[in-house]
C-alpha cells in the first residue's frame, strides 16, 4: 500500500489548519498508513487522537509507524481496530472532530 492523494490532501489540511485542532479530541477513521494522523500529531496541540482502521494488518502497520515516529510527535495517538458496523467499538466515546481521507480502499483505484 501507499499513501493516497486524498491522504496527502488531508495531511496538508491538517498542517495549514493546525490551530483548528488545538485542544480537540479527534477520531481518524480509515487511517490507512497513518500519514495524516501522524502529521496532525506533529503539528497540532491535540487533546487526543484515536487512529483507527478496520483491517487488523493495517492497525499493526499503524502501530509500527507511530513507534518509528514517536520522537517527532507532540502527542502519541491511540491506535486501534474499529469496525463501523459495531457500535460497541465507539460506545461512550465523544469526539470534537472526526477526520477521514480514503476510507474505502479499492486496490484497483491506486497505482502500484
Amino acid at each position: 500500500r501507499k499513501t493516497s492523494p486524498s491522504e496527502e490532501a488531508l495531511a496538508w489540511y491538517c498542517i495549514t489548519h493546525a490551530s483548528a485542532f488545538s485542544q480537540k479530541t479527534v477520531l481518524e477513521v480509515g487511517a490507512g498508513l497513518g500519514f495524516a494522523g501522524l502529521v496532525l500529531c506533529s503539528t497540532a496541540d491535540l487533546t487526543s487522537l484515536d487512529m483507527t482502521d478496520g483491517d487488523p494488518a493495517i492497525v499493526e502497520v499503524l502501530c509500527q509507524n507511530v513507534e518509528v515516529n514517536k520522537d517527532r510527535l507532540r502527542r502519541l495517538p491511540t491506535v486501534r481496530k474499529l469496525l463501523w458496523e459495531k457500535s460497541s467499538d465507539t460506545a461512550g466515546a465523544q469526539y470534537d472532530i472526526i477526520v477521514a481521507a480514503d476510507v474505502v480502499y479499492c486496490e484497483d483505484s491506486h497505482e502500484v
Side-chain angles (χ1 to χ4, degrees), residues 28-89:
E28 181 179 17
V29 295
L33 300 177
F35 180 59
L38 292 172
V39 165
L40 194 52
C41 284
S42 66
T43 59
D45 185 25
L46 301 170
T47 299
S48 68
L49 173 65
D50 286 351
M51 296 172 71
T52 67
D53 201 280
D55 183 336
I58 294 300
V59 171
E60 187 60 37
V61 171
L62 281 171
C63 290
Q64 293 169 7
N65 287 345
V66 168
E67 181 63 27
V68 166
N69 291 287
K70 68 182 178 185
D71 294 337
R72 296 176 185 91
L73 306 178
R74 296 174 73 172
R75 169 142 339 255
L76 287 177
T78 300
V79 176
R80 64 188 174 91
K81 180 179 170 184
L82 174 64
L83 297 175
W84 299 348
E85 66 271 15
K86 292 192 175 186
S87 61
S88 62
D89 286 352

